[in-house]
């Protein structure tokens, strides 16, 4: 397989790892006149199980940070 060139590409693929949608992807083409056009409507991959776990872990993390802040305030000797 030949090595990929750094310039001259006219098609690009963008992928985003999101909070509500696990993965979103879309492709675009650069035309000779400088116009950029989307290729299709793009795609989304949603994984309810993974997102539910991510949401649960975020909630637990926020709760632990709040407890740590509370214990830090209680341990403050200036009070």
């Amino acid at each position: 397989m030949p090595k990929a060139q750094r310039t001259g590409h006219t098609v690009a693929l963008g992928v985003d790892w999101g909070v509500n949608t696990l993965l979103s992807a879309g492709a675009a083409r650069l035309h000779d006149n400088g116009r950029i056009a989307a290729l299709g409507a793009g795609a989304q991959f949603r994984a309810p199980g993974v997102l539910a776990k991510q949401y649960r872990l975020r909630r637990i993390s926020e709760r632990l940070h709040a407890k740590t802040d509370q214990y830090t305030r209680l341990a403050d000797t200036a009070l």
Side-chain angles (χ1 to χ4, degrees):
M1 169 148 293
K3 185 176 179 181
Q5 299 176 358
R6 290 181 178 254
T7 61
H9 298 282
T10 58
V11 177
L13 174 67
V15 180
D16 179 45
W17 177 24
V19 175
N20 296 323
T21 302
L22 188 60
L23 289 173
S24 300
R29 177 182 305 276
L30 175 64
H31 294 279
D32 293 334
N33 62 1
R35 188 175 59 91
I36 298 174
L39 298 175
Q44 294 182 345
F45 174 69
R46 296 176 187 218
V50 173
L51 294 175
K53 183 173 184 177
Q54 181 184 16
Y55 178 73
R56 187 176 70 248
L57 290 174
R58 184 182 311 123
R59 217 174 44 233
I60 291 170
S61 173
E62 290 172 355
R63 194 175 308 139
L64 288 174
H65 282 290
K67 282 185 178 185
T68 303
D69 292 342
Q70 180 184 7
Y71 290 146
T72 302
R73 284 192 305 270
L74 290 174
D76 189 8
T77 57
L79 295 175

